[in-house]
Amino acid sequence: MGLDKTANVKCRCDNNNQTSPLAIPEGFDNSRKLIGIEGNWYDVTHFIKHHPGGPVIEHFIGKDATAVFKGFHEKDVLKYRTPVGTYTRPSQDPAAEGFEQLHEFFISKGFFKTSYWWYAMKIAVVFLFLCSAFYCVLARDEWYVHYLGAIFLAAFWQQCGFFMHDTMHRQLTHERKTDQWLGRFFGNVCFGVNGTWWRDEHFIHHSLTNTVDYDIGFYDPQIREGVWAQNEKLFPFYKGLIEYYAIKIQYITFIPLCVFVGRFGIMIDSYKDERRAVEWIAGVIHWSWVCVLLSFLPTWREVVIFYYLASVCEGILHVQLLISHYCKPFYERKNICTDINWYRMQIESNINIVNPIWLDWFHGGLNFHIEHHLYPTMPRHNYREASRYIKRVCQGVGVVYDECTWFEAVARTLKCLKKMSKHFSLDPR
């Protein structure tokens, strides 16, 4: 995070507890936007629009944002920045102390270092899926082999979605611009989804998971859809009768919508408001190679079936993306980093998926959702080892480390959706 350089300002500091407002620097007014990091105030008034991670920092104005800052940045980002004041940090939640110490431990033990050999092998296998798809279409005439190629294409899309996720979190090279270009390649070119759009929404999702704010009409952008409402805190955002009737049957439509139309929905959403030429150019490259592949199929009927079969198989990814959050607690934005510690919120709002190590590839690291939300820039090949330490800290501070099988997570999600559908009403306030 880069921050404005301004003259230092004296600060009135009092002892605070977890729920007390932070001390306000003398000379501060509503036109200046300050963020607190490790006891220091930084003025971000003119920096917000230049923030590489987008406007997410606006949600932490006037708060101690130490935890969320550490989750997304290296400390040396601040080395050329001058604080404009100081404050006394609120009394720490034991979970905050435990996970801040664990963060330093992970840094010292190399958990944030990338294994390029691991990624090289993964990428090679994933592009073997794409080669297999082309082989099935170009080298064989049997219709069933062509459709086997569609399954290979779906696997390629799914795994490239995970690579887009990794690189946009700077897990691969840890260089922002390099990883963003890689994210654009894996996302826009390979997966067919606008990676930059996804990154902008995803950073807000990570910072304010399962969070709403009625005063400004805010909600976690990756947790609210117009066709289902998985928590009472989302109810006020629904106004129309179509939404009402869709939510009443959401536990029936959840999986079919994710699987059968999920890919089309996310592709449309990612480009419908896009104005950046580079994102469209990358998207055109995606459709160019897809059309080349489809052009070798003998009939239009096979083209339609092939593409839709690939889209449906890839649709499993959209179930994977949601079941780790949908049945977990929701929060109000005003309470994050004040009444509710950010680390604790991340653990309470996530479910891990239990599976054997050989199936980690299928989940793309999202089976360790708790680890990922606590330390987003940690490469996913270190999650399994990191989980052992995180479980110990959770046990020590009395936080539930929620994990279950994939099918149990799906069942819990459907049960939650059914419960919410029974007592849903339009804008209950």
Side-chain angles (χ1 to χ4, degrees):
M1 180 188 287
L3 301 160
D4 292 342
K5 296 180 182 179
T6 60
N8 198 18
V9 181
K10 293 181 180 180
C11 178
R12 304 186 303 273
C13 292
D14 304 307
N15 291 330
N16 297 286
N17 56 40
Q18 188 67 23
T19 59
S20 299
L22 294 181
I24 300 173
E26 293 178 358
F28 172 81
D29 58 47
N30 291 335
S31 66
R32 295 177 64 189
K33 297 181 178 181
L34 307 185
I35 284 183
I37 301 171
E38 295 188 319
N40 293 311
W41 287 114
Y42 294 88
D43 191 337
V44 297
T45 306
H46 303 295
F47 175 71
I48 290 175
K49 63 183 178 181
H50 303 293
H51 182 226
V56 63
I57 56 175
E58 289 187 288
H59 296 289
F60 296 92
I61 299 300
K63 294 183 176 183
D64 176 20
T66 302
V68 65
F69 172 83
K70 287 184 173 181
F72 288 91
H73 308 83
E74 285 79 22
K75 191 172 182 178
D76 62 2
V77 172
L78 296 174
K79 64 183 178 181
Y80 299 116
R81 304 299 169 178
T82 304
V84 299
T86 60
Y87 64 93
T88 300
R89 294 187 67 187
S91 300
Q92 285 283 65
D93 180 332
E97 294 182 6
F99 287 109
E100 283 188 13
Q101 293 172 8
L102 188 58
H103 191 184
E104 296 302 319
F105 170 80
F106 283 151
I107 292 173
S108 68
K109 296 299 182 182
F111 277 73
F112 289 90
K113 293 182 179 178
T114 301
S115 169
Y116 291 107
W117 173 250
W118 187 92
Y119 267 106
M121 294 298 291
K122 286 289 182 182
I123 292 171
V125 170
V126 168
F127 276 88
L128 183 61
F129 289 156
L130 181 61
C131 292
S132 299
F134 271 90
Y135 171 81
C136 290
V137 172
L138 273 67
R140 302 294 292 270
D141 296 325
E142 301 90 342
W143 62 268
Y144 53 87
V145 178
H146 291 167
Y147 296 152
L148 176 62
I151 297 174
F152 281 122
L153 179 60
F156 174 75
W157 282 341
Q158 181 215 32
Q159 295 297 313
C160 283
F162 293 141
F163 288 140
M164 174 189 74
H165 176 266
D166 294 350
T167 51
M168 286 302 188
H169 273 299
R170 296 185 294 109
Q171 292 181 11
L172 189 52
T173 71
H174 302 284
E175 294 291 336
R176 178 175 59 85
K177 290 184 178 180
T178 302
D179 275 336
Q180 284 183 4
W181 276 105
L182 288 170
R184 189 173 285 121
F185 170 73
F186 286 116
N188 302 51
V189 175
C190 298
F191 184 31
V193 171
N194 184 343
T196 305
W197 163 87
W198 175 89
R199 180 205 66 193
D200 292 345
E201 284 203 349
H202 196 65
F203 282 3
I204 297 175
H205 162 69
H206 262 267
S207 301
L208 295 164
T209 309
N210 284 11
T211 299
V212 300
D213 187 328
Y214 304 120
D215 293 335
I216 63 173
F218 168 84
Y219 47 79
D220 175 350
Q222 294 191 343
I223 217 69
R224 190 260 186 197
E225 301 290 343
V227 291
W228 47 67
Q230 66 275 25
N231 189 278
E232 295 95 335
K233 282 187 167 59
L234 288 173
F235 290 0
F237 295 102
Y238 299 90
K239 308 293 183 182
L241 285 177
I242 294 177
E243 292 175 322
Y244 174 82
Y245 289 113
I247 290 167
K248 284 298 182 182
I249 57 171
Q250 62 184 4
Y251 60 96
I252 299 172
T253 60
F254 174 72
I255 291 179
L257 286 176
C258 285
V259 173
F260 295 114
V261 299
R263 175 169 175 80
F264 304 103
I266 195 172
M267 287 194 300
I268 293 170
D269 283 347
S270 71
Y271 278 103
K272 66 181 182 181
D273 298 317
E274 184 56 69
R275 298 293 181 269
R276 291 162 290 203
V278 65
E279 310 301 339
W280 281 103
I281 293 170
V284 168
I285 296 173
H286 167 80
W287 280 105
S288 297
W289 72 257
V290 169
C291 288
V292 168
L293 174 61
L294 297 177
S295 70
F296 289 99
L297 292 168
T299 67
W300 279 106
R301 179 176 180 273
E302 280 203 27
V303 167
V304 172
I305 294 175
F306 180 95
Y307 189 84
Y308 188 64
L309 177 60
S311 298
V312 167
C313 292
E314 185 268 312
I316 297 172
L317 170 64
H318 306 287
V319 178
Q320 291 174 294
L321 294 175
L322 301 178
I323 58 175
S324 290
H325 299 297
Y326 265 35
C327 63
K328 301 299 288 181
F330 272 60
Y331 309 89
E332 293 194 35
R333 187 179 69 99
K334 63 185 178 183
N335 297 327
I336 304 302
C337 294
T338 54
D339 299 329
I340 301 170
N341 177 264
W342 188 79
Y343 287 113
R344 184 179 291 272
M345 178 196 71
Q346 294 300 335
I347 300 168
E348 292 178 347
S349 61
N350 281 279
I351 297 175
N352 275 13
I353 304 301
V354 177
N355 61 265
I357 190 171
W358 57 266
L359 203 54
D360 283 352
W361 71 271
F362 175 73
H363 295 284
L366 299 184
N367 48 324
F368 291 102
H369 231 75
I370 292 173
E371 287 69 23
H372 174 57
H373 267 252
L374 286 172
Y375 308 112
T377 61
M378 180 184 290
R380 59 173 149 127
H381 53 74
N382 292 325
Y383 288 165
R384 187 170 285 275
E385 178 67 14
S387 69
R388 298 193 301 111
Y389 297 96
I390 291 172
K391 285 179 181 179
R392 288 182 202 164
V393 176
C394 285
Q395 186 176 14
V397 299
V399 180
V400 175
Y401 183 94
D402 193 356
E403 58 181 345
C404 62
T405 67
W406 193 84
F407 291 104
E408 287 172 333
V410 171
R412 288 172 60 180
T413 299
L414 295 178
K415 183 178 179 180
C416 175
L417 290 171
K418 185 173 183 178
K419 178 181 177 181
M420 293 301 108
S421 71
K422 297 303 181 184
H423 66 272
F424 172 76
S425 61
L426 289 174
D427 196 355
R429 295 176 300 168

